[in-house]
Amino acid sequence: MADPHVSPGTAGMTITRQERSPAHEGELLTVNFGPQHPSTHGVLRLVVDLDGEVIRGLRPVIGYLHTGIEKQMEALRWQQGVVVTDRHDYLSPPINNLAYALAVEKLMGIEAPPRAQALRVIMSELTRIASHLVWLGTSSLELGAMGVYMYAFRDREKVLDMNEEISGYRMHTSYIRPGGVMADITPRFANMLETFLKEMPSNIDEYERLLSKNPIWVARTKNIGYLSGQDAIRLGATGPMLRGSGVDWDLRRDRPYCGYDRYSWEVQVRTGCDCYDRYLVRIGEMREALKIIRQALDGLPSGPINVDDRKLLPPPREELETSMEAVIHHFKLFTEGYAPPVGAAYVAVESGRGENGCFVVSDGTHKPRRVKFRSASFVNLQALEQMAIGSMVADLIAIIGTADTVLGDVDR
Amino acid sequence: MNHLYLSYPNPGGIFSNPVGYWVIVALAIVFTLFVLLTATAYTVWYERVLLGRFQRRPGPNRVGPLGLLQLAADGIKLATKESFAPAGVDPILYLVGPAVMVAAAFLAWAVIPVGIWWGFSYWISNINVGILFVFAVSSMNAYAILLGGWSSNNKYSLLGGMRAAAQLISYEVALGLSLVPIFIITGSLRLQDIANFSVHWGPYHGPIPLVIVAPLSFVIYMVAATAETNRTPFDLPEAEQELIGGYHTEYSGLKFTLYYLGEYLNMVTVSTLATLIFFAGWHPNAPWFPAFIPFVAKIVGFLFLYIWLRNTLPRLRYDMLMRLGWKVLLPLGMANVVVTAAVVVALTG
């Protein structure tokens, strides 16, 4: 939230929300949507002014899931912060890990080895699929289609199983860490991934058969939640919200990281600016993610999965028994941690929801001075009012769904 | 003997005695209520099992064999819940709502005949405007929803109630019109006559499912009947994901149970009507093939269809339902009536 006392800077722009007259002066019905409402994806609260069922005013109220994650990270050592990043956007932990890890690495001027980068890509894309599946399931359930929900969760379950296999944890993986990744892939993981890659395309076809040409689904999403490309840019929307409005922008291609430029895939762009095209963008992204995983898995480079730096990562277990130096490193790392040089770094990665940026400030100590997440959910939420004014209550549900916000990510 | 009808052997004796007559009627009512309550409960079980199967889960399987006692557990749970009413409700209408719902749903069964055995069917009252009576009482459920929504002192409930009113006027006309061709063809409004409607087509003598001669009526009836029962894709007054619970947001305990019961009973009612009107009710049957087998099988088939729809289809917006009702179903129904009338006149002279 912008501080009203700070004069607007030279960069950026200020968007002021117009104050409306209170509802009771007119013939409007003010309804509280949330924080306890089945379709607000957690604890989003919307104060909605209704004229019949037509929405005349909408004010999002956030803060019900504030967990102080950013502040918490200031009290944790650099390598401990990874664990907390899992938890703000709880539908895409590896991508949050990645943003943080890349920011810390940028600060320290190191780069993860090629094998780690490929593993990071695989996990990020798996996460993107899982996150889109949750989106698909919940937003179709919100529009009344119960079956798709369970089918989408069937496939997400496979991703969670793979998370467990590779990191030991189903949701909060903490798999991607500054300097590399936590563990190498196991043969079982490779098998699971192969099966997943084989089954998934036909499963996505199944979702499309159920929804893409379903007249009711099309009627409920087409021309609903209109957000022009210009407005999307003005409001800072990113991810499928931006690409569904015809703006061709994907950080993976335009600001490549982790070697995304080495894979051949297509950025999904649709020009419909409505819920239906955002749905198609997300379906397309799942297919593209499968392509990327296929290429990353086939061309998985051999070599270490972590930087070879004893100041940053603990020595292997067997070295502790033979090397005094290793013991010292181990002790220092787990009592004090490491300290990046004084400075600040910002790295943004493309999560399922959009630009997930991480800004870290180091004052040269072993704990960050400040960590700030530029979360896609929070910024995309700003477009809600623009999309919803003038539509009906039933459409509001589709519009909340299409914004695909994770409330933990909004409040942090 | 138009009230309690047992087709064979010709009853006399106890029926000619006024006291005995009313005893029989009362017993018949109690028996019908019992059967309907059981049928409704098992419809809920059937829906949960089917939804489970559709969605790759087992469904209820813990209480009793195949989860068959799940509904008893649910019933006890609902009955023993605290009956909670929020502040500011209209005390009388808040109670009248669920009562009207369940009363209207049961009342329709006063005229619905049930096939039991060869040449033997069962009903409480055999009035000559049976279908009109069914429609008259079953459209009362919109009032129940409207009253419940309005009296709950909740904005979501109010929106749900308003939607119910909007929904009523959009499907009701089409629903009535869809059956006019049936009346033209069979020449009767009595459900028994419609179910027994027979033809002499060449070598074939006997009852036929009317869906063959009036398929468009069947389609319109199915769409409008789904709207009448507030089932997906027309479950707008309820719309859990939009209006939380719609009209029954503020209902709990037994009052909620009554709404729930009414909804499922309506589903059974429209399935039975579809069976009687379009699928020849208890035909075919024979001395060795009891009438209740085809009768119940057809009803279960329609219930399956409703549950399948619920699993698969998204929900319409209520202005879309109004558009569907007024701009699609109504003209289609009109055309259907005119064409059927013309054909019937041309054929019979």
Side-chain angles (χ1 to χ4, degrees):
Chain A
M1 281 293 165
D3 187 343
H5 302 295
V6 178
S7 58
T10 46
M13 89 174 79
T14 313
I15 295 170
T16 33
R17 192 181 301 268
Q18 284 197 333
E19 278 304 318
R20 285 183 187 74
S21 55
H24 55 81
E25 286 180 11
E27 288 290 309
L28 299 181
L29 176 74
T30 303
V31 178
N32 223 349
F33 258 74
Q36 278 90 31
H37 185 283
S39 297
T40 51
H41 289 227
V43 285
L44 176 63
R45 179 179 163 211
L46 301 170
V47 182
V48 185
D49 296 331
L50 295 179
D51 177 6
E53 282 215 22
V54 181
I55 296 163
R56 297 286 178 219
L58 179 141
R59 296 175 294 283
V61 183
I62 60 170
Y64 291 93
L65 203 59
H66 187 71
T67 43
I69 279 177
E70 288 173 358
K71 189 71 187 166
Q72 229 176 339
M73 291 179 78
E74 293 168 18
L76 297 170
R77 290 194 294 277
W78 288 94
Q79 77 267 42
Q80 289 174 323
V82 174
V83 181
V84 188
T85 60
D86 282 336
R87 277 141 175 99
H88 67 87
D89 177 357
Y90 41 77
L91 292 183
S92 45
I95 296 180
N96 306 341
N97 297 161
L98 183 60
Y100 177 72
L102 287 175
V104 175
E105 285 170 5
K106 189 175 178 188
L107 204 55
M108 301 175 79
I110 54 173
E111 198 181 344
R115 187 174 176 86
Q117 293 203 355
L119 289 177
R120 285 175 173 189
V121 167
I122 291 176
M123 289 306 283
S124 300
E125 293 308 310
L126 275 181
T127 307
R128 191 181 317 282
I129 293 173
S131 161
H132 282 346
L133 283 174
V134 172
W135 168 82
L136 178 71
T138 52
S139 48
S140 57
L141 179 68
E142 281 156 15
L143 292 186
M146 290 174 84
V148 182
Y149 172 72
M150 294 305 285
Y151 305 147
F153 270 66
R154 163 195 69 192
D155 290 331
R156 175 180 183 247
E157 198 64 20
K158 295 173 192 159
V159 177
L160 294 186
D161 286 345
M162 279 186 270
N163 281 347
E164 186 180 14
E165 175 61 25
I166 201 165
S167 74
Y169 221 136
R170 286 164 61 77
M171 273 182 82
H172 304 303
T173 54
S174 299
Y175 177 70
I176 298 169
R177 296 167 181 196
V181 294
M182 181 207 133
D184 208 340
I185 57 171
T186 60
R188 183 154 172 263
F189 177 85
N191 280 340
M192 291 163 90
L193 191 54
E194 283 292 344
T195 323
F196 183 74
L197 289 176
K198 210 179 297 163
E199 288 172 353
M200 202 53 198
S202 61
N203 288 348
I204 298 177
D205 290 343
E206 186 185 357
Y207 307 137
E208 288 225 71
R209 274 202 303 279
L210 279 166
L211 297 177
S212 290
K213 296 224 169 64
N214 182 330
I216 303 180
W217 176 261
V218 174
R220 288 302 308 276
T221 53
K222 214 154 203 159
N223 298 324
I224 304 296
Y226 186 85
L227 182 71
S228 69
Q230 222 175 356
D231 281 339
I233 295 173
R234 193 169 61 87
L235 291 161
T238 47
M241 292 274 284
L242 189 63
R243 293 192 282 278
S245 296
V247 182
D248 191 0
W249 176 259
D250 191 318
L251 288 171
R252 289 175 291 171
R253 184 197 60 198
D254 300 313
R255 299 282 183 275
Y257 53 91
C258 288
Y260 266 109
D261 43 348
R262 284 200 293 275
Y263 309 113
S264 71
W265 54 284
E266 279 159 30
V267 174
Q268 297 295 308
V269 183
R270 301 273 170 171
T271 50
C273 308
D274 54 15
C275 293
Y276 185 70
D277 275 30
R278 289 189 276 272
Y279 153 79
L280 289 179
V281 165
R282 287 184 174 114
I283 290 278
E285 280 188 4
M286 285 200 267
R287 293 189 195 278
E288 294 302 314
L290 291 173
K291 268 197 227 168
I292 297 174
I293 297 173
R294 183 77 267 170
Q295 294 169 42
L297 192 65
D298 288 344
L300 193 64
S302 54
I305 53 160
N306 275 310
V307 290
D308 187 22
D309 184 350
R310 292 286 180 270
K311 305 277 184 217
L312 190 65
L313 287 152
R317 182 69 186 80
E318 54 275 13
E319 235 176 79
L320 287 177
E321 289 162 13
T322 55
S323 158
M324 188 61 212
E325 215 176 323
V327 177
I328 293 169
H329 277 139
H330 189 268
F331 179 74
K332 289 288 275 183
L333 205 53
F334 284 102
T335 52
E336 197 177 78
Y338 48 81
V342 179
Y346 176 80
V347 174
V349 297
E350 185 79 25
S351 84
R353 269 155 272 287
E355 178 176 337
N356 182 17
C358 180
F359 178 66
V360 291
V361 182
S362 166
D363 54 3
T365 62
H366 56 277
K367 286 175 183 172
R369 177 69 190 86
R370 174 84 170 95
V371 180
K372 156 91 181 126
F373 287 101
R374 185 264 182 220
S375 66
S377 303
F378 174 69
V379 184
N380 287 351
L381 201 57
Q382 311 307 313
L384 211 57
E385 186 181 9
Q386 180 80 28
M387 291 192 286
I389 297 283
S391 46
M392 307 185 80
V393 173
D395 296 334
L396 178 61
I397 305 305
I399 292 167
I400 296 171
T402 196
D404 192 18
T405 49
V406 166
L407 267 293
D409 198 24
V410 172
D411 294 340
R412 297 185 302 286
Chain B
M1 191 54 57
N2 266 345
H3 289 288
L4 187 83
Y5 180 84
L6 297 165
S7 64
Y8 90 102
N10 187 25
I14 191 168
F15 288 96
S16 35
N17 173 345
V19 176
Y21 173 78
W22 286 108
V23 166
I24 294 286
V25 168
L27 283 178
I29 290 173
V30 170
F31 178 69
T32 308
L33 277 180
F34 172 76
V35 170
L36 283 180
L37 279 172
T38 315
T40 311
Y42 280 96
T43 306
V44 177
W45 172 84
Y46 184 54
E47 167 161 54
R48 290 179 59 176
V49 168
L50 271 187
L51 284 181
R53 294 290 187 273
F54 285 137
Q55 300 170 2
R56 307 178 72 260
R57 5 178 223 106
N61 64 356
R62 283 290 174 273
V63 191
L66 299 175
L68 279 170
L69 296 178
Q70 180 67 44
L71 34 111
D74 286 352
I76 292 169
K77 184 197 79 174
L78 283 167
T80 53
K81 270 199 166 176
E82 181 187 356
S83 200
F84 173 85
V89 300
D90 187 315
I92 296 169
L93 293 183
Y94 183 70
L95 292 177
V96 166
V100 169
M101 180 84 175
V102 81
F106 276 119
L107 211 51
W109 281 83
V111 297
I112 293 180
V114 178
I116 308 274
W117 211 258
W118 166 244
F120 173 84
S121 54
Y122 169 93
W123 56 77
I124 294 172
S125 177
N126 182 18
I127 57 176
N128 57 6
V129 287
I131 293 188
L132 290 188
F133 179 79
V134 172
F135 283 167
V137 292
S138 66
S139 62
M140 293 279 283
N141 76 28
Y143 294 99
I145 294 172
L146 198 59
L147 286 180
W150 183 79
S151 64
S152 292
N153 189 27
N154 179 316
K155 290 167 182 170
Y156 289 107
S157 300
L158 183 61
L159 286 174
M162 293 193 318
R163 282 183 179 192
Q167 191 165 330
L168 174 79
I169 57 169
S170 0
Y171 69 76
E172 196 71 13
V173 185
L175 186 65
L177 268 181
S178 77
L179 295 185
V180 174
I182 302 293
F183 309 149
I184 295 175
I185 293 167
T186 60
S188 171
L189 286 136
R190 207 187 289 263
L191 281 161
Q192 290 82 343
D193 297 347
I194 295 173
N196 286 325
F197 178 68
S198 302
V199 289
H200 302 275
W201 283 351
Y204 181 73
H205 277 246
I208 51 150
L210 277 165
V211 65
I212 300 172
V213 286
L216 189 59
S217 287
F218 177 64
V219 172
I220 298 173
Y221 172 82
M222 282 309 283
V223 175
T226 315
E228 165 153 332
T229 49
N230 300 323
R231 296 283 303 177
T232 310
F234 306 120
D235 58 340
L236 312 171
E238 210 173 307
E240 188 198 340
Q241 290 86 5
E242 293 159 22
L243 302 180
I244 305 179
Y247 61 92
H248 64 56
T249 305
E250 297 290 2
Y251 281 94
S252 60
L254 269 179
K255 292 195 285 291
F256 169 76
T257 316
L258 291 186
Y259 270 125
Y260 197 71
L261 187 70
E263 188 189 322
Y264 280 86
L265 194 54
N266 277 334
M267 195 166 100
V268 178
T269 309
V270 295
S271 300
T272 310
L273 281 182
T275 302
L276 285 171
I277 297 170
F278 292 103
F279 281 82
W282 39 79
H283 297 289
N285 59 23
W288 44 267
F289 187 61
F292 72 86
I293 293 180
F295 189 69
V296 172
K298 287 170 197 170
I299 294 174
V300 170
F302 279 110
L303 292 176
F304 181 90
L305 185 69
Y306 279 120
I307 296 163
W308 191 8
L309 286 179
R310 175 169 181 204
N311 179 63
T312 311
L313 287 184
R315 179 183 304 120
L316 280 173
R317 216 169 55 203
Y318 90 85
D319 58 322
M320 293 174 183
L321 171 64
M322 292 179 79
R323 221 174 302 144
L324 179 74
W326 288 111
K327 292 191 176 169
V328 180
L329 296 184
L330 189 62
L332 270 181
M334 295 268 201
N336 195 19
V337 171
V338 172
V339 170
T340 312
V343 171
V344 167
V345 168
L347 287 181
T348 59

